[in-house]
Amino acid sequence: MSASLSDKQIQHLYWRTGFGISSLELKYIREFSKQQIIDHLFSKSKQETPLTLDFGDLLKNQRGLSREERKEFRKLRNQKMLELNVLWIKQLTETKQVLREKMTLFFHDHFAVRLKTPRASLHLNNVIRKHALGNFGDMLMEVSKSPAMLLFLNNRQNRKNSPNENFAREVMELFTLGIDNGYTEKDIKEAARAFTGWNFNKNGSFVFRKNQHDYESKTFLGKTGNFTGEDIIKILLDQKQTARYITEKIYQYFVNEKINPNHIEELAATFYESNYSLDILMRKIFMSNWFYESQNIGIKIKSPIELIVGISKPFHVVYKDPKVLIYLQRKLNQTLFRPPNVAGWPGGKSWIDNSTLMLRLKLASVTLNSGVIEWHDQNDMEETSIMRQKLYKKMKTRVEKKVKATPNWKSFLTSLQQRDKEELVNFIIQPKLSNGASTIITKLDPSNTKNFIIELMSLPEYQLC
Amino acid sequence: MDRRDFLKQSVFASGMALVPSFLKGMEFLTPDQLSGYKNIIIIQLSGGNDGLNSIIPISNDIYHSLRPTISKKATQTLKITNDLAFNDNLRAIKELYDQGEVSIINNVGYPNPNRSHFRSTDIWQTASDTNQYLSTGWVGRYLDANCQHPYQAIEVDNSLSLTMKGNQMNGMAVSDPNQLYRTTREPFFNKLVDSTHKDMLDEDNQGYLYKTMLETYSSASYIYETSKTYKTNTEYPQSLFAKNLKTIADFIVSGLKTRVFYSSLGGFDSHVNQLNSQDRLLGIYSEAVGALVKDLKKNNRFKDTLILTFSEFGRRVQQNGSRGTDHGAANNVLAIGGSLKKAGVYNELPNLSNLDTNGDIRYSVDFRSIYATILGNWLEVDDKNILNKDFSQLTFI
């Protein structure tokens, strides 16, 4: 492959590492070599912007609260969880540190934690962001010791003589080795003993409670010693399988659900030899030739967050009522900070069923055009068209009242470089069009660019990137 | 016809608002045909329900000694026999039990049990061996082999579980039939569906999107049109789970030609302070099922209904350090129905003095024997073909 990328390939890179590319940015990037584009992408993500939220009365000591006050406390806590969700969506949509945020989204799913406590959730999110392009081993260690993880997988209750296996099992099954990859039930029990005493204090700082720790000898993955939790994590990072498992998950998320064993072998070796540098691993993926091959383009089903942010971003959509964003996430089965369970969102085809698909297809029109996908039939009588316009108007008022989303079409259309039908299709749609969609598109009138774009974004093809 | 009506009609005719052509000639079951149309409702208690604190070996000393702070006292339970009692939050289930409408099957599991929620759920949903990875569910394979329409298996939930996914056909996930129907009225989508044919679709993700779209179209109006004929007036509890069972009752009584319904209740992963959380959930389960059965009885459909309740695994016999229990193995399964052949306690109680090396209950009934029984004896299809193996059938139905 030559040193420069086609528009489609640049769009591919920007969809996978972020939420698509704007028309202006594409015009600018197009002149770069592949190496330059990738350097640009990484340099943009050098900095990090942690999320911050004013927790107000949540920081007060809860002791001695009356029943009524406790109820208020819980209400405020739920309120802050929602604010946190919307805050992150906003950051995902507006950030310049696109790749860092996308990596954070990936690890938000990998280290899936579902809590009612906004402080712990926010803290974990910032820990992940900090290491998102850094060292996976450091991330794993800090995540394991975060209040969010200690709470969620019950390590606070894990004590000498009365172990709780929850974290020990999941750290192997989900965070490092992958299920049934070289550990036994016995290893889980021994690891649980090593994690005894891990806890956190009132300020949310990690503490090691010596009197709850089991100091006896443990045998874990064939090694014997007076292991602590840190030792267990180090032993897990020593396993090549950990590098392979993380590489596979990253590959399936950023490249293709279907794994190419040769690619994995090479990537995992690099990842392991680099002592788990995410920067090196990700650069290697995006610098490869195979990443840009057609079998990897336009084949991934967008996650609901990718879909929502991908629609909002180019139009700078303002949601007057942030609850709408929560509602959409819930209906599409992906609410940030609320993964279904510790395994995260299963992704891929499982995003799609009868209900979610129909809503996904309607989403662009609902967000960008008050719910209307204008359809003109050439055989329509004039009266029919008039009737139709009336119905559209009614629908618009109804949807506007409910959704309260304001897109900026003017700025979108002025900066749009793509003009004719073919250019627009190639810019909006990543995969090759199906026969059905091609037939429909030949009938569409591109002279009204706004309607034409809504129609393109309502095709099943738009669900893919 | 005045001008206004004429206009309206031409709008309808162009596909704007009304009945699409495939609805014509759609069959509905008449009250006569309704009777005898057997169905099964599968309820999954997600997270691993602690069976030992649900149906309690109350006279067993090992049970009490291994669970010093979380075992149930006899006074907190509803007696079944001298040795067995229901958790007292299962009051509605106990009432059904007393009428001979419940069969308790003990020690259900599979060889070499896996204690991961996700893996064990997959094993239960695909009916696989512990080391076998299948991408289709057992109900999905039933659809493939024996059904013509996706709506013959409906999951009342936001998403479709693996159980319901077949090779050629998936079941439907419906939480709100009206809403689903409304979204299929869009003229643009109608055009798209018209110009797409199933046989030109590939197996890839894009093909899957189109396939799902076509299936949604072919089933949404049927479900909507049929289910609006009956809306229950039986009182259901306020929980989301009860609301889902109510939707199922509406479907059954309306005469929807659906054989399998699926719903789940989550939150059973009780590593910490399990008594409160489990008791609360069992209450939600029991009250909702109680209302459902009452509704079905009132409409004379309970005799054609079987309700199967399972969880991906039971929990460890010995409590852990935080008044909870860790992941275990074999567990009890409930079969509730108006036409049981063998109600009561179906088989021997768990043997707590002969646990496996993890301290978990050993299985004596393979869960796939229960599936085989349901497929062969209740839905009357070839179970071996669907389960890829010959499992001995039980006699509860």
Side-chain angles (χ1 to χ4, degrees):
Chain A
M1 189 179 288
S2 67
S4 69
L5 299 174
S6 70
D7 280 9
K8 181 67 71 172
Q9 288 169 326
I10 296 172
Q11 288 167 209
H12 173 57
L13 177 68
Y14 271 72
W15 264 112
R16 296 303 176 84
T17 56
F19 303 93
I21 187 167
S22 74
S23 186
L24 275 184
E25 211 177 351
L26 179 60
K27 188 183 164 196
Y28 167 70
I29 293 283
R30 200 184 275 147
E31 310 302 324
F32 289 14
S33 73
K34 179 174 166 184
Q35 178 76 55
Q36 282 171 324
I37 293 175
I38 287 157
D39 287 344
H40 175 73
L41 198 65
F42 277 81
S43 79
K44 285 267 181 193
S45 283
K46 265 223 156 68
Q47 306 296 320
E48 56 176 285
T49 313
L51 297 180
T52 54
L53 197 61
D54 175 12
F55 290 111
D57 285 353
L58 284 186
L59 300 178
K60 283 190 191 157
N61 196 337
Q62 296 168 57
R63 228 171 249 166
L65 290 187
S66 70
R67 224 184 128 152
E68 201 50 37
E69 287 168 319
R70 256 181 302 167
K71 207 174 144 193
E72 281 305 309
F73 181 86
R74 278 198 299 269
K75 227 170 107 186
L76 182 64
R77 211 169 54 180
N78 295 344
Q79 172 61 29
K80 291 292 166 188
M81 279 311 292
L82 296 187
E83 284 177 31
L84 179 58
N85 177 305
V86 175
L87 186 71
W88 194 18
I89 295 264
K90 197 168 145 66
Q91 175 141 319
L92 288 168
T93 316
E94 294 172 2
T95 184
K96 296 257 186 306
Q97 297 141 6
V98 178
L99 176 60
R100 182 176 294 276
E101 289 302 317
K102 194 67 175 266
M103 294 297 291
T104 308
L105 190 58
F106 168 80
F107 281 110
H108 180 69
D109 190 346
H110 183 72
F111 294 114
V113 163
R114 177 178 176 137
L115 289 172
K116 288 182 182 150
T117 45
R119 273 176 78 195
S121 305
L122 176 130
H123 172 262
L124 175 63
N125 193 258
N126 285 334
V127 166
I128 290 174
R129 182 172 290 102
K130 179 169 82 183
H131 297 290
L133 285 164
N135 184 282
F136 172 73
D138 295 346
M139 188 195 301
L140 175 65
M141 191 68 86
E142 200 172 338
V143 165
S144 302
K145 291 179 162 184
S146 70
M149 193 57 84
L150 294 167
L151 276 171
F152 187 58
L153 293 182
N154 310 117
N155 217 0
R156 301 188 86 184
Q157 291 89 6
N158 183 18
R159 291 172 193 158
K160 179 170 64 177
N161 299 328
S162 60
N164 185 311
E165 296 173 2
N166 209 4
F167 177 71
R169 178 185 304 277
E170 307 305 6
V171 74
M172 285 177 254
E173 177 179 329
L174 299 167
F175 304 155
T176 57
L177 299 173
I179 188 160
D180 297 337
N181 271 327
Y183 61 93
T184 62
E185 286 289 322
K186 177 83 176 136
D187 289 320
I188 292 172
K189 285 179 194 286
E190 296 288 290
R193 291 176 50 220
F195 287 113
T196 49
W198 278 28
N199 213 321
F200 62 90
N201 63 20
K202 260 186 247 155
N203 307 322
S205 306
F206 176 80
V207 287
F208 179 64
R209 302 223 192 276
K210 283 185 187 145
N211 51 358
Q212 291 173 3
H213 182 71
D214 181 341
Y215 283 95
E216 301 294 306
S217 158
K218 297 120 197 158
T219 299
F220 177 68
L221 297 183
K223 295 194 166 75
T224 302
N226 292 335
F227 296 139
T228 60
E230 287 89 342
D231 295 328
I232 298 294
I233 286 177
K234 278 180 207 136
I235 295 172
L236 286 170
L237 289 166
D238 284 342
Q239 313 295 312
K240 284 203 170 124
Q241 173 56 27
T242 297
R244 191 175 303 119
Y245 178 68
I246 300 299
T247 305
E248 279 178 4
K249 256 190 111 169
I250 284 182
Y251 186 91
Q252 291 185 304
Y253 189 87
F254 287 91
V255 186
N256 197 325
E257 282 175 298
K258 285 198 196 89
I259 279 176
N260 179 322
N262 298 333
H263 299 166
I264 294 296
E265 216 40 60
E266 206 189 319
L267 292 171
T270 307
F271 192 37
Y272 187 76
E273 279 153 26
S274 75
N275 189 28
Y276 293 95
S277 163
L278 290 163
D279 180 275
I280 291 175
L281 174 65
M282 298 316 289
R283 273 181 200 269
K284 195 174 166 77
I285 293 174
F286 303 134
M287 278 307 288
S288 74
N289 288 338
W290 43 255
F291 178 76
Y292 302 92
E293 284 170 3
S294 62
Q295 76 260 23
N296 292 326
I297 295 180
I299 47 126
K300 181 189 170 182
I301 296 180
K302 292 174 189 168
S303 70
I305 295 297
E306 285 172 318
L307 188 68
I308 293 170
V309 175
I311 289 172
S312 308
K313 190 174 170 163
F315 296 90
H316 309 288
V317 177
V318 179
Y319 296 88
K320 214 168 167 191
D321 180 3
K323 283 212 180 94
V324 169
L325 280 171
I326 307 279
Y327 174 84
L328 291 175
Q329 291 173 65
R330 202 171 287 154
K331 281 284 176 190
L332 295 175
N333 291 336
Q334 187 184 30
T335 309
L336 293 176
F337 298 101
R338 289 184 68 79
N341 54 49
V342 57
W345 291 278
K349 283 184 181 155
S350 76
W351 293 125
I352 302 301
D353 59 54
N354 321 102
S355 307
T356 57
L357 178 63
M358 297 317 290
L359 176 57
R360 290 173 76 118
L361 294 175
K362 278 288 282 184
L363 190 62
S365 62
V366 163
T367 318
L368 305 176
N369 202 30
S370 309
V372 170
I373 311 171
E374 284 207 24
W375 174 257
H376 300 280
D377 209 305
Q378 287 132 347
N379 309 324
D380 275 359
M381 287 179 293
E382 201 195 329
E383 286 93 335
T384 320
S385 304
I386 295 170
M387 193 79 183
R388 215 172 241 154
Q389 290 304 328
K390 267 192 188 159
L391 271 172
Y392 286 151
K393 220 171 147 191
K394 217 167 123 190
M395 162 119 80
K396 280 195 174 178
T397 340
R398 235 179 38 216
V399 173
E400 268 160 22
K401 226 191 260 166
K402 261 193 172 164
V403 182
K404 297 188 193 116
T406 326
N408 190 338
W409 273 96
K410 204 173 151 208
S411 90
F412 178 85
L413 291 174
T414 356
S415 62
L416 190 65
Q417 309 292 313
Q418 290 74 12
R419 288 293 164 209
D420 66 21
K421 230 181 195 181
E422 197 186 329
E423 280 176 0
L424 284 169
V425 170
N426 277 327
F427 180 57
I428 303 283
I429 301 288
Q430 278 301 97
K432 203 172 155 287
L433 289 176
S434 70
N435 292 343
S438 305
T439 320
I440 289 272
I441 284 176
T442 55
K443 290 185 196 150
L444 293 179
D445 170 17
S447 63
N448 185 332
T449 314
K450 183 176 168 183
N451 282 345
F452 185 62
I453 285 176
I454 291 289
E455 282 158 343
L456 290 179
M457 291 174 85
S458 307
L459 288 171
E461 279 80 349
Y462 184 73
Q463 303 298 320
L464 300 164
C465 74
Chain B
M1 185 186 291
D2 67 18
R3 188 176 154 74
R4 214 183 131 70
D5 280 346
F6 171 75
L7 281 182
K8 251 191 195 159
Q9 226 176 39
S10 49
V11 170
F12 290 158
S14 63
M16 184 65 116
L18 218 60
V19 190
S21 56
F22 55 74
L23 243 190
K24 287 175 203 148
M26 189 70 87
E27 349 151 42
F28 297 86
L29 293 179
T30 64
D32 279 357
Q33 293 166 315
L34 261 179
S35 177
Y37 198 84
K38 286 176 184 165
N39 60 68
I40 165 139
I41 303 170
I42 302 166
I43 297 171
Q44 180 179 359
L45 306 178
S46 304
N49 178 39
D50 181 15
L52 283 176
N53 269 18
S54 310
I55 295 165
I56 302 150
I58 197 72
S59 65
N60 192 313
D61 294 338
I62 302 173
Y63 165 76
H64 292 285
S65 68
L66 288 181
R67 296 185 165 196
T69 57
I70 65 160
S71 64
K72 292 278 183 180
K73 312 282 167 290
T75 50
Q76 304 166 305
T77 63
L78 308 168
K79 183 177 166 179
I80 300 174
T81 65
N82 285 337
D83 297 324
L84 205 60
F86 279 111
N87 180 306
D88 62 359
N89 291 282
L90 293 173
R91 193 166 294 276
I93 305 297
K94 163 79 160 91
E95 282 166 18
L96 297 174
Y97 183 91
D98 290 340
Q99 293 169 50
E101 291 162 347
V102 178
S103 184
I104 300 169
I105 309 169
N106 294 301
N107 313 317
V108 182
Y110 52 91
N112 305 314
N114 193 300
R115 288 169 182 80
S116 151
H117 293 291
F118 318 105
R119 183 62 198 136
S120 197
T121 298
D122 282 356
I123 290 168
W124 272 85
Q125 297 199 338
T126 60
S128 70
D129 293 333
T130 193
N131 55 2
Q132 182 190 20
Y133 293 79
L134 298 180
S135 57
T136 55
W138 70 281
V139 174
R141 294 197 298 274
Y142 161 72
L143 280 173
D144 280 346
N146 303 91
C147 300
Q148 290 77 46
H149 306 286
Y151 60 72
Q152 288 176 279
I154 294 182
E155 178 157 359
V156 179
D157 217 329
N158 281 326
S159 59
L160 194 68
S161 53
L162 183 54
T163 310
M164 311 288 275
K165 295 182 180 170
N167 263 323
Q168 275 87 49
M169 210 188 289
N170 290 336
M172 299 274 295
V174 183
S175 55
D176 181 345
N178 297 357
Q179 194 192 17
L180 183 64
Y181 174 71
R182 275 199 306 273
T183 53
T184 59
R185 299 302 89 208
E186 187 72 46
F188 180 72
F189 298 152
N190 274 319
K191 284 286 163 197
L192 198 55
V193 166
D194 279 350
S195 48
T196 306
H197 303 286
K198 222 173 187 165
D199 50 6
M200 64 193 204
L201 301 178
D202 294 328
E203 292 297 306
D204 60 11
N205 280 339
Q206 188 164 320
Y208 188 78
L209 293 171
Y210 273 93
K211 191 177 144 211
T212 307
M213 189 172 174
L214 294 189
E215 286 179 356
T216 308
Y217 264 75
S218 74
S219 292
S221 0
Y222 171 68
I223 294 173
Y224 168 77
E225 292 295 337
T226 312
S227 64
K228 75 179 182 193
T229 59
Y230 175 81
K231 288 278 176 282
T232 179
N233 53 12
T234 304
E235 284 242 11
Y236 280 75
Q238 289 300 311
S239 65
L240 178 68
F241 178 66
K243 186 173 159 277
N244 289 342
L245 294 195
K246 181 169 177 285
T247 304
I248 292 178
D250 283 345
F251 286 163
I252 292 177
V253 178
S254 303
L256 210 61
K257 292 184 83 177
T258 302
R259 288 292 193 185
V260 184
F261 295 97
Y262 200 97
S263 199
S264 60
L265 176 62
F268 285 91
D269 195 13
S270 49
H271 288 277
V272 176
N273 292 333
Q274 87 167 36
L275 285 181
N276 289 339
S277 61
Q278 195 204 11
D279 286 355
R280 188 179 59 81
L281 288 169
L282 290 179
I284 290 173
Y285 163 76
S286 162
E287 284 167 29
V289 170
L292 169 74
V293 171
K294 201 171 147 199
D295 200 1
L296 293 175
K297 279 183 176 168
K298 207 164 71 185
N299 291 285
N300 197 26
R301 293 307 311 276
F302 187 52
K303 62 180 174 46
D304 301 321
T305 303
L306 180 67
I307 306 170
L308 178 78
T309 306
F310 79 95
S311 196
E312 68 266 29
F313 44 62
R315 304 194 77 91
R316 191 139 312 152
V317 181
Q318 178 162 29
Q319 72 179 70
N320 68 13
S322 22
R323 276 174 287 132
T325 47
D326 289 321
H327 303 180
N331 203 1
N332 40 42
V333 159
L334 290 183
I336 301 172
S339 304
L340 294 180
K341 284 219 178 88
K342 189 174 173 188
V345 183
Y346 183 83
N347 57 346
E348 80 285 356
L349 302 188
N351 182 349
L352 302 188
S353 58
N354 179 24
L355 300 173
D356 71 11
T357 50
N358 263 291
D360 295 329
I361 296 168
R362 291 176 193 276
Y363 90 100
S364 63
V365 175
D366 193 304
F367 71 102
R368 291 164 294 185
S369 283
I370 296 178
Y371 294 171
T373 314
I374 291 166
L375 291 166
N377 286 0
W378 186 246
L379 299 177
E380 297 173 300
V381 297
D382 179 4
D383 54 283
K384 289 174 272 306
N385 176 28
I386 292 163
L387 299 174
N388 301 319
K389 227 189 234 179
D390 192 356
F391 290 97
S392 62
Q393 295 190 354
L394 311 183
T395 54
F396 64 92
I397 196 95

